[in-house]
Amino acid sequence: MEHEGQLKKKRVRRWSSPAHFSNKRKASIFGQDFTWEVKANDSDYHKQFKKSFLCWKRTKYSGNAINTAKYNILTFLPLNLYEQFHRIANLYFLFVILLQTIPEIATLPWFALLLPLACLLTIRGTRDLVDDIARHRSDRMINGRPCEILLGKSFCKKRWRDIQVGDIVCLQKDDFVPADLLLLASSEPSSLCYVETADIDGETNLKFRQALIITHKELVNTDKMAAFDGLVVCEEPNSRMHTFVGNLEWKGEKYALDSEKILLRGCRIRNTDTCYGLVIYAGFDSKIMKNCGKIKLKRTKLDKLMNKLVIIIFLMLVAVSFCLAVAYGFLVMDLKTRHSYLPAFYRNSSLAKEAFLSFWSFMILLSVIVPMSLYITFEFIYLANSCFINWDLEMYYSPLDMPAKARSTSLNDQLGQIEYIFSDKTGTLTQNIMTFKKCCISGLTYGTDENSGESLEAVSLSWNKYADGKLVFYDPTLLIAIKADEDKTVREFWQLLALCHTVMVEEKDGQLVYQAASPDEEALVTAARNFGYVFLSRTQDTITTSELGVEKTYQVLAMMDFNSVRKRMSVLLRDPDGTIRLYTKGADTVIFERLRPGCPNELATEKALDTFAEETLRTLCLASKEVDEEAYREWNKRYHEAHILLQNRAQALHAVYEDMEKDLKLLGATAIEDKLQDGVPDTIHLLKKGNIKVWVLTGDKQETAVNIGFACRLLSDDMEILDEKDIYGILEAYWESNNNLRSVQNSGPKLQQPHSKMALVVTGDFLDKLLLQSGEEQARTKKSNLLTRGGWPCGAQQVQEDLAIRRERSFVDLATKCQAVICCRVTPKQKALIVQLVKKYQQVTTLAIGDGANDVNMIKTADIGVGISGQEGMQAVQCSDYALAQFAYLQRLLLVHGRWSYLRISKFLRYFFYKTFASMMVQIWFAFYSGFTAQSLYEGWFLAFFNIFYTAYPVLSMGLLEQDMNAKKCLEFPELYSVGQKNQLFNYWVFFVALAHGTATSLVNFYVALWAFNDFAGPGSICDYQSFAVTVATSALLSVIAEIAMDIKFWTILSILAVLSSVILYSLMSFLTQNFFISHVAPTMFRFPDASRNALTEPYILLVVLLTVVVNTMPSLAVRLVYHMTAEPKPGKPYRDTQVEAGTVELKAHFQRGSTRRRSSYAFSHKEGYADLISGGASLRKKSSQVTQDPNQP
């Protein structure tokens, strides 16, 4: 036997070896090849599988340690420098510095440019390093979480990073799942395990997972788990969160595995004391990590534009330097011809060489037109504006002591250019708190709106010892009717809420704690509890309640669970008096169809439902009936026959349920509020008025998401909501036409309401079929292109790729023409895919906002990522660019800080280029009078200090403090936000206008001074080169200061001081650098002794400076005056949505407000509950002798 066991092991290893695996035996499940093998408790088994890339090989199975940081100790310096030199400006500066090292063409010391560049690289590198250190710290915290791993025959304390594929781990209550696990056993009955998946799909309600029966029965202690050698054969690691297909092979048998047997990394164990799992996917192979995108280098539109402008300026400098060098060559040739002694000076040099050296000298001389101080000032402005966001008390959330946080300091101006917002729902728009608000019983509506303006007092529930103290209800008439206990319908209404559900209950510290399959159901049972009808406990066939203090036990005869087809749930009970009753709750559409003819209060209840729907409350209808004993016996016989069928069991059960759920008596309706975060509707309304489109991408159900869409004013009453059938109709016409949506506008039937607004509601399955399929087609095409290069035909592949691109583009075109888009049941990867497609095909600026780990990929993909510090942890915040405590703060972040930042940066850039051109272009004009030599007109120290001291503070004050309106006005007129979306304040046109303006100013500065000095030449006059240079420099400085004084719209004391400081610093530094003593000590460095004092004490020179400033200023004043006189006032226009320009099929709203179908989408939107588990007794602990698995006991 022992020999046979060894042979069997050898056969298994030989069959699973890499060489044989690929061609001998590939596991085939449902026609697909599955190549991922996991063997329990055998680490050596997995080491034999290798992945190869070129000449490197590594283990196929990843470890569980993760690393989300960009750098490490070895890669930081080269990788960060590589990223920084992606900026064209940095390459330009490096090129000029290299030129400075050549003595023949150097005009400035090489270190004069190297130090500013080193300073710039250090500032940006330090910022990137600080961000990456935070990522390393987060990774260490996650990888260092404790866990228990089975080593040998006992569980040992280890860290998450020590987990390997094939290990068996032990998890306790409230632990996070460290890897994707196959559930083997748990301490719960039938090895159930309750998990919270908030970090994956945003839902905080509990879900259950259940182990295989074989592992539940066999793996009852540690010794048996240590001996477990099962082999799992399943699909390769992928990003599909809601699916899993595989088999467990053990003891010669195969057992099917699905997603209900898998615990995903990131889930949290709830209401389960202990559970055990086999690691299937670890680390980056886990599904949640497959959905997490890589860290991307984000750059703003202005940053990208600056790169292009630097190239333009460089080409301009090359052209100007070339022309001046050619002119220098011709001048030298002319002088050599006319002056016979000059050739002796050029004996060892040719004319071409002189022109070549002159060209590079001019390149260095004019390189200051793109000064490095621009980028250093840039970084300081970004940092200061980020601090303004951090210090804004209007975005401080006092309940959590949480201010806004700008985690990235280089994206502020992009906040003023957002066109699309992609938002999560649960925890971002909503608080995920369901509150019982109103109800209708026998046609009477109970409950008052707390915002009605009346002075209301909440009813007291102190008489009820089971009340949880959280319910706030303002209508005392309901409490009076309940306490009176005279109305049979009122009594049945609350009995139904306490009995018809699949809620689990346990007692903690003397308090009842409910756990439901949906927060809606928990809210209803809790409401019944607060009003005196308390669900106490349940067994497999009984439910115990306390009704107004009287404890009653009901016998459960049958439970008919909710699903998306039935849209209702029923429970058949025998009450303590022996009467059989059916209680049913569900959507109004299905309940009203099953009422007995002539049911009273039907019309009144329908009106109440309409009212509840208008208030965007989630509604549910309640009904009941008595069942006589004979009818029950006959029905129960058919029920058991259907229950034991092996084929079509579900359909047979549904038919039996239909027979019972008819001729019902209507009891009433409930209304639940899915509580939004404060200010969400107003925020979305303001953002829409600012021409920002808001899309909701959620992992929640479609009905819930649509309901929230109406509640937060994303959807409106007059919108037509397109469902998947309508979308397919439009897209099919698009594909057939092989053109854009506009071209097919006239090719088919028109829209019934051409001017109606449109909204799009799609599911993750729809996107899977439409988008992921096209993505896979493109991926296959790219791979096959490798073959086409070798001569294989590529026509069909090209057509396939074109079809895939057309499919993506058509969907994005349609979606972007709608006023609102809601995507439900989408995975984290699908969220990122949608953001990526909109960026790709619309070329727009996007923002993603979320609060959970399921939003991380979307946040990384968008141009701006905002993390909400919510109930789902801090994963989103750690990967975000900005962190907020509430969604409502987004309006101030964008409409105030974003708009101000864009305005400040744009005006800063325009003015910086203007002042640089105005002061430095004179070097070109001076070349015409200096023999085209690369001699500088200005004093060297003026060039060094011009951008650092003389003009830095006025332009810095503009970049930090400028406002065209205060924060209140920004929020009052959100339409003005579109300025940033259209790139109106800084673009190519603005740049070339600044170039023309600066060139004109430089011409005035130079030629007015030249004219004055020509006229003033003579004995006793001041007309030397140094005085001329001082005059031009002073004129240039005062002209640009006057220009910025006219351009500043928001004056503060700091702005005034900044302008005055420029003049003061110019006077002070001129005195210091032109002192006779210091010139005597270092004459080569200080070449203008007393030049400013000699020139600027002459009245004539002062009048020349004044004339120059006036001539430069008057045109600017005239242009501003004409603009203000001719420009018409632009009042805020009423927001008008863009119309859909497509009409190939007849579109009908499937979720119209006010209709019965519309109300149905509000009702009971949760997944199938725990009815099967309850009926089978699998989920219930026995009171008499509670059994808990203890693996340490043999």
Side-chain angles (χ1 to χ4, degrees):
M1 291 293 292
E2 197 172 313
H3 179 65
E4 288 178 3
Q6 291 176 355
L7 287 176
K8 185 177 180 181
K9 287 184 180 180
K10 288 181 180 178
R11 282 197 298 269
V12 170
R13 288 189 187 277
R14 188 167 54 250
W15 162 73
S16 301
S17 65
H20 285 73
F21 185 83
S22 58
N23 48 30
K24 289 271 183 171
R25 179 172 184 231
K26 281 189 178 180
S28 181
I29 302 174
F30 305 119
Q32 289 182 313
D33 290 333
F34 285 73
T35 58
W36 192 261
E37 291 188 350
V38 177
K39 191 168 186 181
N41 297 315
D42 192 347
S43 59
D44 293 334
Y45 178 82
H46 305 104
K47 292 179 182 178
Q48 63 182 316
F49 296 95
K50 303 289 184 181
K51 276 186 177 181
S52 60
F53 177 75
L54 298 179
C55 58
W56 291 278
K57 288 187 178 182
R58 65 178 183 86
T59 306
K60 177 180 178 180
Y61 299 90
S62 299
N64 202 45
I66 61 169
N67 179 20
T68 61
K70 292 169 63 176
Y71 314 112
N72 57 40
I73 296 176
L74 297 178
T75 62
F76 170 72
L77 191 59
L79 187 56
N80 189 259
L81 288 176
Y82 172 77
E83 291 176 352
Q84 295 215 47
F85 281 108
H86 265 62
R87 289 182 169 92
I88 303 298
N90 290 346
L91 286 175
Y92 170 71
F93 296 142
L94 182 62
F95 175 69
V96 173
I97 290 171
L98 293 176
L99 290 180
Q100 288 280 49
T101 60
I102 303 173
E104 289 82 359
I105 60 175
T107 57
L108 294 172
W110 63 269
F111 54 81
L113 291 176
L114 180 61
L115 292 180
L117 179 60
C119 179
L120 180 63
L121 296 177
T122 301
I123 291 172
R124 286 176 171 166
T126 303
R127 182 192 65 198
D128 294 339
L129 181 62
V130 170
D131 291 342
D132 210 56
I133 287 174
R135 297 188 193 100
H136 276 286
R137 191 176 294 119
S138 173
D139 291 341
R140 281 197 298 270
M141 181 188 71
I142 293 173
N143 293 332
R145 286 177 177 172
C147 65
E148 294 184 51
I149 305 175
L150 182 62
L151 298 176
K153 294 190 175 183
S154 63
F155 284 95
C156 302
K157 292 282 185 181
K158 293 289 183 178
R159 302 289 180 183
W160 278 25
R161 58 176 172 265
D162 301 320
I163 293 175
Q164 299 292 332
V165 171
D167 287 345
I168 295 179
V169 298
C170 173
L171 301 176
Q172 308 295 332
K173 185 176 180 180
D174 296 330
D175 282 351
F176 283 100
V177 179
D180 291 350
L181 310 177
L182 169 65
L183 180 63
L184 298 177
S186 80
S187 57
E188 296 297 297
S190 301
S191 284
L192 284 175
C193 179
Y194 298 94
V195 295
E196 182 183 276
T197 59
D199 279 353
I200 294 176
D201 55 19
E203 298 181 15
T204 55
N205 53 289
L206 295 189
K207 300 178 176 62
F208 68 87
R209 300 290 182 262
Q210 188 172 13
L212 290 168
I213 295 176
I214 183 66
T215 57
H216 162 66
K217 291 181 177 179
E218 294 286 339
L219 306 181
V220 294
N221 56 48
T222 305
D223 290 339
K224 291 190 175 181
M225 285 191 182
F228 177 61
D229 60 351
L231 178 70
V232 175
V233 182
C234 61
E235 56 193 1
E236 290 283 323
N238 58 72
S239 61
R240 296 186 291 273
M241 302 291 296
H242 304 295
T243 62
F244 178 84
V245 180
N247 280 339
L248 170 64
E249 299 180 7
W250 188 36
K251 296 184 176 180
E253 299 290 336
K254 288 186 179 181
Y255 306 92
L257 302 176
D258 56 26
S259 59
E260 299 300 313
K261 310 287 190 298
I262 301 298
L263 303 178
L264 297 182
R265 180 185 176 117
C267 295
R268 197 165 192 175
I269 306 299
R270 298 292 195 190
N271 290 13
T272 305
D273 293 332
T274 308
C275 66
Y276 305 89
L278 171 66
V279 178
I280 305 296
Y281 306 126
F284 285 107
D285 288 334
S286 61
K287 290 183 178 290
I288 188 65
M289 296 307 296
K290 285 287 183 182
N291 276 277
C292 290
K294 295 181 180 179
I295 297 172
K296 300 177 178 66
L297 179 64
K298 296 185 178 182
R299 295 168 58 196
T300 66
K301 281 184 177 180
L302 290 180
D303 192 14
K304 295 174 184 176
L305 179 60
M306 282 293 297
N307 272 349
K308 297 175 183 177
L309 292 181
V310 168
I311 295 174
I312 292 173
I313 294 172
F314 177 75
L315 295 176
M316 289 169 53
L317 293 184
V318 170
V320 170
S321 299
F322 178 78
C323 292
L324 293 175
V326 170
Y328 174 74
F330 280 112
L331 180 63
V332 170
M333 185 172 61
D334 180 61
L335 290 175
K336 288 171 68 175
T337 303
R338 288 192 295 162
H339 302 282
S340 59
Y341 60 88
L342 284 178
F345 292 99
Y346 298 94
R347 185 178 298 112
N348 298 323
S349 177
S350 65
L351 185 64
K353 179 180 178 182
E354 291 297 329
F356 179 77
L357 295 177
S358 177
F359 169 79
W360 291 113
S361 296
F362 276 114
M363 285 291 295
I364 296 172
L365 179 66
L366 299 177
S367 65
V368 292
I369 289 180
V370 186
M372 274 178 278
S373 59
L374 167 66
Y375 290 91
I376 296 175
T377 312
F378 228 20
E379 295 295 326
F380 189 78
I381 291 174
Y382 274 128
L383 178 62
N385 281 309
S386 298
C387 292
F388 294 156
I389 293 173
N390 299 343
W391 298 338
D392 191 346
L393 293 178
E394 296 294 327
M395 294 195 293
Y396 172 72
Y397 190 60
S398 54
L400 296 179
D401 188 27
M402 191 168 294
K405 175 68 175 175
R407 293 172 51 83
S408 173
T409 59
S410 59
L411 301 173
N412 299 329
D413 58 283
Q414 194 120 301
L415 290 172
Q417 299 179 284
I418 300 299
E419 296 170 77
Y420 282 81
I421 293 177
F422 300 91
S423 174
D424 180 38
K425 180 190 75 69
T426 308
T428 303
L429 299 178
T430 69
Q431 300 180 24
N432 204 31
I433 300 174
M434 303 295 175
T435 309
F436 183 84
K437 299 296 290 185
K438 296 182 180 183
C439 63
C440 175
I441 307 175
S442 298
L444 298 177
T445 300
Y446 299 94
T448 307
D449 190 352
E450 59 210 79
N451 300 320
S452 60
E454 304 175 11
S455 57
L456 303 173
E457 184 177 350
V459 298
S460 173
L461 301 174
S462 57
W463 56 274
N464 181 7
K465 68 177 182 178
Y466 292 106
D468 64 356
K470 297 177 182 178
L471 180 66
V472 180
F473 200 79
Y474 293 98
D475 193 347
T477 57
L478 177 61
L479 192 59
I480 293 171
I482 292 173
K483 284 186 172 181
D485 199 23
E486 297 174 354
D487 191 331
K488 182 180 178 183
T489 304
V490 173
R491 188 185 313 118
E492 282 194 73
F493 181 94
W494 294 104
Q495 284 175 337
L496 186 151
L497 292 182
L499 295 167
C500 184
H501 56 76
T502 59
V503 173
M504 306 290 189
V505 62
E506 62 178 339
E507 192 169 331
K508 283 185 181 179
D509 302 325
Q511 295 291 325
L512 297 176
V513 178
Y514 295 147
Q515 296 292 349
S518 77
D520 307 63
E521 192 166 57
E522 183 180 348
L524 293 173
V525 177
T526 303
R529 163 187 175 175
N530 283 290
F531 283 111
Y533 288 79
V534 187
F535 166 54
L536 294 177
S537 63
R538 78 186 325 146
T539 65
Q540 182 177 347
D541 53 7
T542 65
I543 295 178
T544 302
T545 62
S546 171
E547 300 176 6
L548 299 177
V550 179
E551 190 168 310
K552 295 183 179 180
T553 299
Y554 294 81
Q555 182 183 358
V556 179
L557 304 177
M559 293 188 74
M560 295 160 253
D561 201 2
F562 170 90
N563 63 37
S564 58
V565 177
R566 287 168 38 77
K567 295 184 179 178
R568 63 190 182 276
M569 177 195 173
S570 300
V571 59
L572 193 63
L573 303 167
R574 190 187 300 276
D575 66 16
D577 298 331
T579 305
I580 299 175
R581 295 183 183 277
L582 176 74
Y583 291 116
T584 302
K585 64 181 181 182
D588 51 1
T589 48
V590 296
I591 297 297
F592 276 65
E593 290 172 355
R594 289 160 176 76
L595 296 179
R596 67 182 63 163
C599 187
N601 305 317
E602 183 175 344
L603 184 60
T605 303
E606 192 163 359
K607 288 182 179 179
L609 286 168
D610 285 334
T611 304
F612 297 158
E614 289 173 3
E615 298 173 10
T616 65
L617 299 174
R618 300 157 70 92
T619 59
L620 200 66
C621 283
L622 312 182
S624 69
K625 75 171 184 179
E626 286 190 15
V627 181
D628 60 59
E629 195 73 35
E630 186 62 32
Y632 165 69
R633 288 199 191 96
E634 183 182 345
W635 178 87
N636 191 48
K637 182 180 178 182
R638 289 186 284 116
Y639 170 72
H640 281 289
E641 289 174 355
H643 208 273
I644 60 176
L645 287 177
L646 296 179
Q647 294 182 344
N648 302 321
R649 179 186 301 173
Q651 293 87 335
L653 285 173
H654 289 173
V656 174
Y657 294 163
E658 285 281 350
D659 291 341
M660 177 59 69
E661 296 168 329
K662 60 185 180 182
D663 297 328
L664 302 175
K665 167 191 169 185
L666 181 63
L667 300 178
T670 62
I672 295 175
E673 179 187 32
D674 188 358
K675 201 169 181 61
L676 293 171
Q677 289 187 10
D678 295 336
V680 167
D682 292 337
T683 299
I684 290 180
H685 181 63
L686 273 178
L687 294 174
K688 289 172 69 177
K689 289 185 72 176
N691 197 32
I692 301 174
K693 291 189 176 182
V694 181
W695 292 21
V696 175
L697 312 179
T698 177
D700 215 336
K701 279 77 61 179
Q702 180 171 330
E703 294 85 354
T704 308
V706 171
N707 173 43
I708 293 300
F710 279 99
C712 66
R713 297 169 71 178
L714 181 64
L715 304 177
S716 58
D717 297 341
D718 57 346
M719 277 188 180
E720 232 177 346
I721 301 179
L722 306 180
D723 67 356
E724 294 172 6
K725 181 181 178 182
D726 300 327
I727 297 167
Y728 268 125
I730 295 176
L731 297 185
E732 282 176 6
Y734 179 97
W735 300 329
E736 289 172 4
S737 67
N738 194 21
N739 208 332
N740 59 31
L741 286 172
R742 292 185 180 87
S743 68
V744 299
Q745 188 172 2
N746 300 319
S747 63
K750 304 289 184 183
L751 294 174
Q752 285 185 327
Q753 300 175 352
H755 300 292
S756 64
K757 301 174 185 177
M758 292 292 177
L760 206 65
V761 178
V762 296
T763 62
D765 290 338
F766 173 83
L767 294 173
D768 235 352
K769 298 172 185 174
L770 185 71
L771 302 180
L772 289 183
Q773 179 183 354
S774 65
E776 290 169 2
E777 287 173 2
Q778 291 184 46
R780 287 196 300 267
T781 304
K782 289 179 180 178
K783 291 180 180 179
S784 62
N785 283 344
L786 296 174
L787 297 176
T788 63
R789 292 173 186 172
W792 292 86
C794 60
Q797 294 161 355
Q798 186 64 42
V799 170
Q800 187 180 35
E801 184 174 12
D802 291 344
L803 288 173
I805 293 174
R806 200 184 317 147
R807 185 184 293 115
E808 292 177 351
R809 186 187 295 278
S810 62
F811 172 74
V812 174
D813 284 348
L814 174 61
T816 52
K817 287 178 174 60
C818 293
Q819 314 319 325
V821 176
I822 298 178
C823 301
C824 321
R825 282 296 182 195
V826 288
T827 64
K829 191 170 185 177
Q830 286 174 326
K831 290 183 179 183
L833 176 64
I834 293 168
V835 176
Q836 184 179 347
L837 289 178
V838 173
K839 287 174 61 179
K840 176 181 177 181
Y841 292 113
Q842 294 298 312
Q843 301 298 314
V844 292
T845 306
T846 58
L847 180 147
I849 180 169
D851 70 322
N854 56 318
D855 304 313
V856 167
N857 205 356
M858 173 177 71
I859 286 172
K860 290 179 179 178
T861 304
D863 296 302
I864 299 288
V866 178
I868 298 290
S869 306
Q871 299 180 357
E872 300 179 23
M874 298 293 287
Q875 293 92 333
V877 170
Q878 290 168 354
C879 296
S880 67
D881 304 306
Y882 298 88
L884 301 175
Q886 294 280 289
F887 181 87
Y889 296 155
L890 195 61
Q891 60 174 292
R892 189 170 178 88
L893 182 68
L894 299 185
L895 301 181
V896 178
H897 289 284
R899 189 175 181 280
W900 281 350
S901 294
Y902 174 70
L903 171 74
R904 291 164 180 169
I905 294 293
S906 299
K907 294 187 74 171
F908 160 77
L909 288 174
R910 191 199 70 80
Y911 178 74
F912 206 104
F913 280 120
Y914 160 73
K915 76 179 182 68
T916 304
F917 291 133
S919 58
M920 299 304 163
M921 292 286 279
V922 295
Q923 303 274 27
I924 299 174
W925 320 136
F926 181 65
F928 286 89
Y929 298 90
S930 64
F932 296 106
T933 59
Q935 179 183 353
S936 174
L937 169 63
Y938 296 124
E939 178 194 12
W941 291 106
F942 179 83
L943 289 174
F945 294 150
F946 181 78
N947 286 309
I948 298 177
F949 292 117
Y950 301 159
T951 59
Y953 301 110
V955 76
L956 192 59
S957 71
M958 176 180 280
L960 297 180
L961 305 173
E962 180 66 351
Q963 300 176 16
D964 58 346
M965 61 179 65
N966 59 31
K968 184 178 179 182
K969 292 295 183 183
C970 288
L971 296 175
E972 284 182 6
F973 301 101
E975 298 87 353
L976 299 177
Y977 182 81
S978 61
V979 171
Q981 296 172 332
K982 299 174 183 177
N983 305 314
Q984 290 180 346
L985 297 185
F986 191 79
N987 48 44
Y988 287 112
W989 172 254
V990 173
F991 169 75
F992 285 112
V993 168
L995 172 60
H997 188 191
T999 302
T1001 301
S1002 68
L1003 285 168
V1004 171
N1005 291 338
F1006 183 80
Y1007 282 102
V1008 168
L1010 183 64
W1011 162 77
F1013 271 70
N1014 283 337
D1015 189 58
F1016 195 51
S1021 62
I1022 300 177
C1023 57
D1024 58 283
Y1025 155 70
Q1026 293 184 352
S1027 298
F1028 177 74
V1030 169
T1031 303
V1032 175
T1034 306
S1035 300
L1037 178 62
L1038 295 180
S1039 293
V1040 297
I1041 290 176
E1043 181 67 27
I1044 197 172
M1046 291 187 292
D1047 214 19
I1048 292 177
K1049 293 185 177 180
F1050 184 70
W1051 282 94
T1052 63
I1053 295 177
L1054 292 177
S1055 303
I1056 297 171
L1057 291 176
V1059 172
L1060 293 177
S1061 67
S1062 292
V1063 180
I1064 295 171
L1065 282 171
Y1066 174 64
S1067 303
L1068 178 62
M1069 299 307 295
S1070 296
F1071 172 77
L1072 293 176
T1073 59
Q1074 297 175 9
N1075 185 277
F1076 256 117
F1077 174 75
I1078 198 169
S1079 298
H1080 179 71
V1081 174
T1084 58
M1085 294 182 65
F1086 302 94
R1087 300 179 178 180
F1088 279 55
D1090 267 356
S1092 293
R1093 189 177 68 175
N1094 292 336
L1096 299 180
T1097 53
E1098 283 290 328
Y1100 182 85
I1101 300 298
L1102 293 178
L1103 287 174
V1104 171
V1105 172
L1106 178 61
L1107 175 63
T1108 305
V1109 174
V1110 170
V1111 171
N1112 283 323
T1113 304
M1114 291 307 294
S1116 294
L1117 282 174
V1119 170
R1120 284 176 169 82
L1121 181 61
V1122 171
Y1123 175 78
H1124 284 293
M1125 290 176 63
T1126 57
E1128 296 181 0
K1130 296 180 180 179
K1133 296 180 181 178
Y1135 173 68
R1136 189 171 69 185
D1137 292 291
T1138 311
Q1139 302 300 320
V1140 175
E1141 301 176 2
T1144 58
V1145 294
E1146 181 176 335
L1147 304 178
K1148 296 180 181 178
H1150 288 257
F1151 295 102
Q1152 270 183 331
R1153 292 295 300 273
S1155 71
T1156 311
R1157 293 192 69 178
R1158 174 70 200 96
R1159 286 199 311 269
S1160 301
S1161 68
Y1162 284 77
F1164 208 46
S1165 55
H1166 67 86
K1167 64 175 285 184
E1168 194 164 354
Y1170 307 135
D1172 290 340
L1173 297 177
I1174 295 169
S1175 301
S1179 62
L1180 304 171
R1181 299 183 178 94
K1182 298 178 182 179
K1183 291 186 176 181
S1184 56
S1185 59
Q1186 185 170 330
V1187 179
T1188 303
Q1189 280 187 325
D1190 184 1
N1192 295 315
Q1193 296 298 326

